[in-house]
Amino acid sequence: MRGNLLIGAMLALTFVAGCTSPVNRVGGDPGPAGSPSTSASPPSPSVSSAAATGSAGPGAPATRTSRPATPVSEIRRTDWPNAVIRDLKFCGESDDSVKFRNGSNGLDVPCRILPDGARPVYADFVTEEPANAPSTEDALVLVELGNPDAARRQALVPVQLSYNGRERYARPIILGDDSSPSGDRVMTFISYRVVGQNVQATVRKLDGGTETRRWRTVNLAGNWERY
């Protein structure tokens, strides 16, 4: 009888020890901030192997696992440092096209496109010509005329695709202020953006101060006025 009691007590102790033993956890390096958390737990038995691998069973409709990439507009494909832009009279060339190479047209008084790391702004903000032309994105780019050690002047240039979508045309520009007579002080566009059909920019004036300026078109030709 005593032997049976001892055996029962030992079995009870074994059961309690098994219930209170610590749970083994699988460790791992934390992922970068914002990444989905990972789990070391095995998949639930209720999840079928077909669902886990992403395959569809017989008769199940095919599902798309990723969305197609958004197509890039033609104007965004422009290689701006080597672009050819027509009607850009700001650069002072006699030809109807300005051909940039490595960001400059290479003349004695050079015209530089997107100087000092400036970037283009894309938006559909230029009136389409002709009126039945397909609506496409346009670009606003910064161009600077003059040598770095002499009088310089900057301008914001709206660029529009031609009707056939292959050529790039400059529309009426937004001209910056004249530099100082000695050329040691230059008005520069610090930043610029398109707001609806209008243009807004932060500029650094000749006296070193900054201000926000806004322009809107005043006629169908696309000329700008400050307001």
Side-chain angles (χ1 to χ4, degrees), residues 11-161:
L11 289 174
L13 288 173
T14 302
F15 177 77
V16 172
C19 290
T20 58
S21 61
V23 178
N24 292 328
R25 299 186 182 275
V26 178
D29 295 330
S35 63
S37 60
T38 57
S39 173
S41 302
S44 171
S46 63
V47 179
S48 66
S49 60
T53 59
S55 61
T63 57
R64 187 183 297 276
T65 57
S66 61
R67 295 181 179 179
T70 303
V72 178
S73 66
E74 183 62 30
I75 195 73
R76 291 175 184 258
R77 300 177 188 272
T78 305
D79 178 14
W80 293 108
N82 300 293
V84 177
I85 301 178
R86 302 188 64 175
D87 292 345
L88 185 51
K89 302 186 185 335
F90 171 73
C91 290
E93 295 193 26
S94 58
D95 296 337
D96 66 345
S97 296
V98 177
K99 299 178 181 179
F100 293 98
R101 291 294 177 268
N102 298 319
S104 173
N105 64 350
L107 299 183
D108 292 338
V109 180
C111 204
R112 298 191 301 148
I113 189 168
L114 298 176
D116 303 322
R119 297 181 180 182
V121 172
Y122 300 102
D124 184 5
F125 69 103
V126 179
T127 303
E128 306 296 334
E129 292 292 343
N132 63 347
S135 178
T136 60
E137 275 192 310
D138 312 298
L140 185 67
V141 298
L142 179 65
V143 175
E144 182 178 88
L145 177 64
N147 286 292
D149 56 350
R152 291 173 290 131
R153 198 173 192 182
Q154 293 190 339
L156 293 177
V157 181
V159 179
Q160 185 179 37
L161 289 175

Side-chain angles (χ1 to χ4, degrees), residues 1-19:
M1 182 69 177
R2 181 177 297 175
N4 291 336
L5 291 175
L6 290 174
I7 293 173
M10 292 176 64
L11 289 174
L13 288 173
T14 302
F15 177 77
V16 172
C19 290

